[in-house]
Amino acid sequence: MVQPIVFNRRRLLMGQGALALSATLAPLFPAWARGANGGHHGMVTGPDAVAGIGDALSGERIALTIGESRFAVGKRSAAAVSINGSIPGPLIRLREGQTVRIDVTNRLREPSSIHWHGLLVPFQMDGVPGLSFPGIDPGETFTYEFPVRQAGTYWYHSHSGMQEAVGLYGPIVIDPATPSSASYDREYVLMLADWSPLHPHEIMRQLKAMSGTFNMRKQTLSGLLAGRDQSAKERFAWAGMRMDPTDISDVTGSTYSYLVNGHDSAANWTALYAPGERVRLRVINASAMTNFNLRIPSLSMTVIAADGLDVQPVETDEIQIAIAETYDVIVTPAGAGPHAIVAEALDRSGQVRATLATKPGMAAPIPPIRSRPVLTMRDMGMDMKGMGEMHHSMAMRDGANAPSVKMGPGVAMIAPMPVDRLADRPTGLEEVDHRVLTYADLRARDANPDQRTPSREIEVHLTANMERYMWSIDGETISGGAKPIPFRLGERVRVTLINDTMMPHPIHLHGHFFELVTGDPGHRPRKHTVNVLPGGKVAFDLTADAEGDWAFHCHMLLHMHAGMMRVVTVRREGEA
């Protein structure tokens, strides 16, 4: 296990001095992330432009250095990991069809790595220590080399220990080999993140000691008397099941600051536009543990890409963007603005505001945080609408409902009646009076490359004992000896993910895109990450076309670290 970075007092003082120096002489943020308030007017104008993009790194040879740093939000600061001296890291801008060599030097005192999230690379270049390569030892340089096979919005992050949570992440934009069909006048990257001065290992320790330690918004007696939330009968029922309907997020705004491009609401990161321009926002959720509700209250958004791949344009007013997902949207502000861009934490424990404006210094009002959601029986996989078709037990921990799950202390619940929730509005947005994007709204712009009927089906259960903060897949963890999930090279398989927990899980498969089984075949949305709602299920069709060993995991960092991860192997026929 990678140990947390340890700083002695001298190094701490040196770090504080460096921080002060950086505040006066040079920003800690790369140019793409500074915003108009920092004297920089965005990244680029016009589609597919590459020249003059601030400090974006491009070309066939790129150098990155991972190093110790400190990061501050408001009056709080803590040890951090930076890339080329900045948090977030530099924008890497590539072009589809090129080959790139990226030299990554590790200046930390612990091993490190970089994973290219969403990129289709040879598995040896995927950047998962112990699986696709040994990792990068202190003082060493590893050269990643791979062909760039796709266009779109992606990102990179550490896959070592908890380094991603303390700053090791940055954006990737890949321009298409041929001119894009998307029409826009300028573009910005919006990298959403969460940050705490508590080291993630300390957060994990507190969660193991008491899983609800960061949940400050439980139901109260005064709320009951005021008629809020659940009725007394419902509260007794949930208490009898030892379930908390307000357990929406493990780690909340009680410790997190929420960020856009490294800035909090007070910093008011600002993107400029001229009235009538079409502005492309490349939104990346690089959080460790936070799903965001993204909206621009005064503007509608047209979604044009999801997880890097183009989709048929669909207009919406709000998107719940799960950890590790990316969405590209077009907005067209007509007047002088300003317009607030709001990313609200799923559990409503905090939010961050950025601004679209016609000149620096403008700020739109920050909307109040909305009421926090309360989970329902549907989130427990006990949707009674399906009772008429029920042929099995409604007991909460009946292994017969999931024969593939290894039952044990790490499995506290098996969803008795999980339902397909691809068309559901996500948690907390069920009742808002405007449009909300669902997965069922997405249709791929280009025809799906493989339209074969799957030759077999498998079920994968996302399992947990939330009270003991134990997370697993099919009741097993890699450290506990779980075997890989095997695929044959080229085979077509339908995978159904069943969420047996009361939290959403953004499940990411390395090295592949898969097609969500929603809508008619042919243009189903292709993604590398899918958020499986509590008590629900999601089916996707996978063509196992990338030979090698691939990580398959929840992108909630602490869930993955605790065990919600498996290895997927893709082998040729006849190979083990």
Side-chain angles (χ1 to χ4, degrees):
M1 176 185 296
V2 177
Q3 297 299 315
I5 299 169
V6 177
F7 286 84
N8 60 34
R9 177 174 171 77
R10 182 178 181 187
R11 295 186 66 86
L12 179 66
L13 293 174
M14 291 172 63
Q16 290 173 331
L19 180 65
L21 186 65
S22 70
T24 55
L25 296 182
L28 191 61
F29 304 104
W32 71 266
R34 286 177 210 152
N37 285 354
H40 295 263
H41 293 185
M43 299 164 34
V44 64
T45 58
D48 307 332
V50 174
I53 309 170
D55 60 353
L57 303 178
S58 60
E60 297 182 352
R61 196 79 187 240
I62 289 171
L64 298 176
T65 299
I66 300 168
E68 296 175 356
S69 186
R70 287 191 69 82
F71 186 71
V73 177
K75 296 181 180 179
R76 305 191 302 172
S77 71
V81 175
S82 61
I83 312 172
N84 290 9
S86 71
I87 300 172
L91 168 68
I92 296 177
R93 188 137 196 159
L94 305 173
R95 183 170 290 279
E96 183 183 17
Q98 74 164 102
T99 294
V100 65
R101 298 183 71 189
I102 305 177
D103 303 310
V104 179
T105 300
N106 178 14
R107 299 296 186 203
L108 302 177
R109 290 173 289 165
E110 62 181 18
S112 189
S113 60
I114 290 183
H115 161 61
W116 316 102
H117 185 94
L119 296 196
L120 304 176
V121 299
F123 83 92
Q124 301 93 334
M125 298 290 117
D126 194 45
V128 180
L131 183 59
S132 55
F133 83 137
I136 311 172
D137 285 333
E140 292 193 344
T141 297
F142 181 84
T143 299
Y144 296 82
E145 181 173 1
F146 51 84
V148 180
R149 300 169 51 194
Q150 62 211 95
T153 303
Y154 304 92
W155 61 297
Y156 59 92
H157 60 80
S158 170
H159 229 289
S160 298
M162 301 284 196
Q163 294 168 3
E164 177 192 330
V166 293
L168 209 170
Y169 57 84
I172 301 172
V173 173
I174 304 176
D175 294 303
T178 56
S180 169
S181 62
S183 171
Y184 54 92
D185 301 298
R186 67 174 80 198
E187 64 175 3
Y188 296 95
V189 169
L190 298 180
M191 201 156 205
L192 310 178
D194 48 25
W195 175 84
S196 170
L198 286 178
H199 193 280
H201 280 289
E202 172 58 19
I203 292 176
M204 174 74 96
R205 187 194 66 77
Q206 294 191 27
L207 287 168
K208 293 289 285 186
M210 187 169 68
S211 61
T213 189
F214 296 104
N215 181 5
M216 306 297 181
R217 313 180 86 193
K218 296 186 178 182
Q219 296 183 113
T220 61
L221 177 60
S222 61
L224 177 64
L225 296 175
R228 293 195 297 268
D229 302 327
Q230 291 181 314
S231 66
K233 181 180 178 181
E234 291 173 320
R235 294 184 190 209
F236 278 119
W238 279 69
M241 295 183 291
R242 304 180 71 182
M243 295 292 178
D244 180 359
T246 69
D247 195 7
I248 308 295
S249 298
D250 295 335
V251 194
T252 71
S254 66
T255 186
Y256 274 151
S257 295
Y258 300 113
L259 309 173
V260 172
N261 297 343
H263 304 270
D264 64 0
S265 291
N268 190 26
W269 185 88
T270 299
L272 297 184
Y273 71 91
E277 283 187 331
R278 289 168 55 85
V279 181
R280 180 175 188 162
L281 304 177
R282 298 178 181 266
V283 188
I284 303 165
N285 188 351
S287 296
M289 291 295 289
T290 306
N291 296 315
F292 284 106
N293 298 322
L294 178 81
R295 70 193 198 279
I296 305 175
S298 53
L299 294 174
S300 61
M301 301 178 286
T302 300
V303 180
I304 61 168
D307 284 1
L309 301 185
D310 291 340
V311 298
Q312 297 173 21
V314 56
E315 195 168 289
T316 190
D317 298 310
E318 187 157 14
I319 302 169
Q320 188 166 100
I321 178 169
I323 300 162
E325 287 186 317
T326 72
Y327 284 100
D328 290 30
V329 303
I330 298 283
V331 297
T332 309
H339 303 274
I341 304 170
V342 181
E344 182 185 60
L346 169 65
D347 70 324
R348 313 279 166 76
S349 61
Q351 63 181 359
V352 58
R353 174 276 311 261
T355 297
L356 275 170
T358 51
K359 60 183 180 181
M362 300 177 74
I366 302 176
I369 296 176
R370 298 171 291 188
S371 299
R372 59 109 168 82
V374 176
L375 298 175
T376 68
M377 298 301 284
R378 190 172 177 83
D379 299 306
M380 292 183 61
M382 300 176 74
D383 190 320
M384 304 314 240
K385 295 177 182 176
M387 285 291 286
E389 302 172 357
M390 188 182 68
H391 300 292
H392 53 267
S393 168
M394 286 295 284
M396 285 182 53
R397 197 173 180 274
D398 188 344
N401 288 338
S404 61
V405 172
K406 183 179 181 180
M407 300 299 291
V411 180
M413 186 178 106
I414 297 293
M417 187 64 71
V419 294
D420 185 335
R421 302 193 67 179
L422 284 171
D424 277 18
R425 287 185 169 206
T427 303
L429 300 180
E430 298 91 343
E431 306 297 333
V432 296
D433 59 359
H434 55 248
R435 296 167 294 184
V436 175
L437 186 77
T438 73
Y439 287 131
D441 295 327
L442 297 175
R443 301 288 290 160
R445 186 197 65 177
D446 301 321
N448 297 146
D450 187 353
Q451 300 186 26
R452 292 177 294 163
T453 301
S455 59
R456 66 183 177 104
E457 300 184 20
I458 63 172
E459 277 189 0
V460 175
H461 286 256
L462 312 175
T463 45
N465 183 329
M466 294 171 61
E467 196 169 7
R468 298 172 66 174
Y469 211 71
M470 300 170 70
W471 303 92
S472 56
I473 289 179
D474 285 340
E476 298 185 86
T477 63
I478 293 178
S479 61
K483 295 181 179 177
I485 301 172
F487 293 94
R488 288 296 173 205
L489 183 64
E491 77 167 330
R492 182 89 163 152
V493 181
R494 175 158 297 178
V495 179
T496 300
L497 302 172
I498 298 176
N499 187 350
D500 292 314
T501 82
M502 289 174 53
M503 285 194 174
H505 296 289
I507 301 298
H508 172 51
L509 175 60
H510 290 218
H512 296 78
F513 283 94
F514 46 74
E515 297 159 25
L516 298 181
V517 181
T518 177
D520 296 329
H523 287 266
R524 286 173 167 162
R526 301 176 68 216
K527 298 186 93 269
H528 52 60
T529 303
V530 61
N531 198 32
V532 189
L533 295 180
K537 61 182 180 181
V538 162
F540 63 75
D541 290 346
L542 170 70
T543 298
D545 56 2
E547 195 171 5
D549 297 337
W550 303 99
F552 178 56
H553 61 90
C554 177
H555 225 284
M556 286 187 161
L557 186 62
L558 302 187
H559 292 185
M560 180 184 74
H561 203 73
M564 193 172 272
M565 175 173 175
R566 294 286 288 272
V567 175
V568 163
T569 62
V570 179
R571 296 283 188 272
R572 295 173 186 270
E573 189 69 36
E575 293 184 356

